[in-house]
């Protein structure tokens, strides 16, 4: 069974400050890991994904995440927050799919990021 | 433009009624999914389908039904058996074995 824990349901930062959103996962097989962003009343948009290539993954909008197997973590960071980054962020884990098999996505509870001027 | 469309954006239902939420994709994806989102609970999988005319229950399938008659379409029916249907519903699709899922804009269902 796989699971995801996002530490902190709400994170508040000042504009220009470092953003750090924490995600720890549990998986019985080497996982695929994802970060999605959701703006109010919209669907989810993929920020970045880890699929066993480089452990430091760069995504859109200046975000990046580092896969640390020893810590079972996949924390999301951005060096300098912008007002437009205010949204809800979801970490997700998938067991690997190969060939025609299906990889189910399990989502964390979400972290709401607030950015203050 | 390729993408996923969901309709309607807002839906109101009286107790005891069945309602159907539409999901269409033109990404030529094989797999489609329905999720339910409630505040503070993340996304929970209702049903998924990997191929036409086949679908499987997710974690919270009770009170819901789906069909997959066409590759592009995966409608979700919320039946009167669903005791607490007020939620935000998201449809997604992916290539089988690719894992990355693409999401539609969602439908907000409210029971009056």
């Amino acid at each position: 069974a796989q699971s995801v824990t996002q530490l902190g349901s709400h994170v508040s930062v000042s504009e220009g400050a470092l953003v750090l959103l924490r995600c720890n996962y549990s998986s019985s097989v080497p996982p695929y890991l994802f970060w999605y962003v959701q703006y109010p009343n919209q669907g989810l948009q993929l920020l970045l994904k880890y699929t066993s290539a480089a452990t430091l993954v760069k995504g859109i909008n200046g975000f990046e995440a580092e896969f640390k197997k020893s810590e079972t973590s996949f924390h999301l960071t951005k060096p300098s927050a912008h007002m437009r980054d205010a949204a809800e962020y979801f970490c997700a884990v998938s067991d690997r799919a190969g060939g025609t098999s299906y990889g189910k996505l399990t989502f964390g509870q979400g972290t709401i990021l607030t950015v203050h001027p | 433009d390729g993408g996923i469309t969901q309709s309607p954006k807002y839906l109101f239902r009286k107790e005891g009624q069945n309602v159907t939420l539409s999901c269409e994709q033109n990404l030529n994806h094989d797999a489609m999914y329905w999720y339910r989102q409630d505040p503070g609970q993340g996304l929970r999988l209702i049903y998924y389908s990997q191929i036409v005319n086949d679908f499987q229950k997710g974690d919270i399938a009770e009170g819901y039904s789906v069909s997959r008659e066409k590759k592009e379409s995966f409608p979700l029916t919320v039946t009167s058996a669903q005791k607490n249907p007020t939620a935000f519903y998201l449809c997604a699709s992916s290539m089988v074995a690719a894992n990355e899922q693409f999401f539609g804009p969602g439908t907000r269902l409210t029971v009056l």
Side-chain angles (χ1 to χ4, degrees), chain A residues 77-115:
Chain A
T77 60
K78 182 174 180 177
S80 177
H82 193 279
M83 298 294 289
R84 62 175 173 259
D85 296 327
E88 188 163 16
Y89 292 79
F90 292 93
C91 182
V93 62
S94 175
D95 56 0
R96 293 184 170 205
T100 58
S101 67
Y102 163 71
K104 178 182 174 182
L105 272 184
T106 300
F107 287 85
Q109 308 289 62
T111 298
I112 296 173
L113 175 66
T114 302
V115 182

Side-chain angles (χ1 to χ4, degrees), chain A residues 32 34 36 38 41-44 46 49 88 90 94-105 107-110, chain B residues 9-10 31 33 35 37 40-43 45 48 50 59 88 90 96-106 108:
Chain A
Y32 288 167
F34 306 84
Y36 284 87
Q38 183 181 35
N41 291 312
Q42 295 186 25
L44 275 66
L46 182 69
K49 61 182 178 182
E88 188 163 16
F90 292 93
S94 175
D95 56 0
R96 293 184 170 205
T100 58
S101 67
Y102 163 71
K104 178 182 174 182
L105 272 184
F107 287 85
Q109 308 289 62
Chain B
K9 186 169 178 64
Y10 298 95
Y33 316 81
Y35 292 92
Q37 185 178 20
Q41 297 193 43
L43 278 70
L45 184 63
Y48 64 98
Q50 293 180 261
D59 301 318
F88 191 51
L90 288 161
V96 173
N99 295 104
E100 177 182 336
Q101 294 183 15
F102 294 82
F103 284 81
R108 186 167 297 282

Side-chain angles (χ1 to χ4, degrees), chain B residues 4 11-12 16 18 31 34 45 48 63-64 77 91-92 95 97:
Chain B
I4 302 174
L11 185 58
F12 298 91
N18 293 353
W34 274 105
L45 184 63
Y48 64 98
Y64 300 98
T77 296
C91 179
M95 295 297 292

Side-chain angles (χ1 to χ4, degrees), chain B residues 29-67:
Chain B
H29 285 170
D30 297 302
M32 297 186 74
Y33 316 81
W34 274 105
Y35 292 92
R36 171 180 171 140
Q37 185 178 20
D38 297 281
Q41 297 193 43
L43 278 70
R44 293 181 289 169
L45 184 63
I46 304 172
Y47 270 97
Y48 64 98
S49 167
Q50 293 180 261
I51 195 169
V52 174
N53 292 322
D54 187 48
F55 48 83
Q56 286 78 40
K57 293 181 179 180
D59 301 318
I60 56 165
E62 184 176 353
Y64 300 98
S65 65
V66 294
S67 63

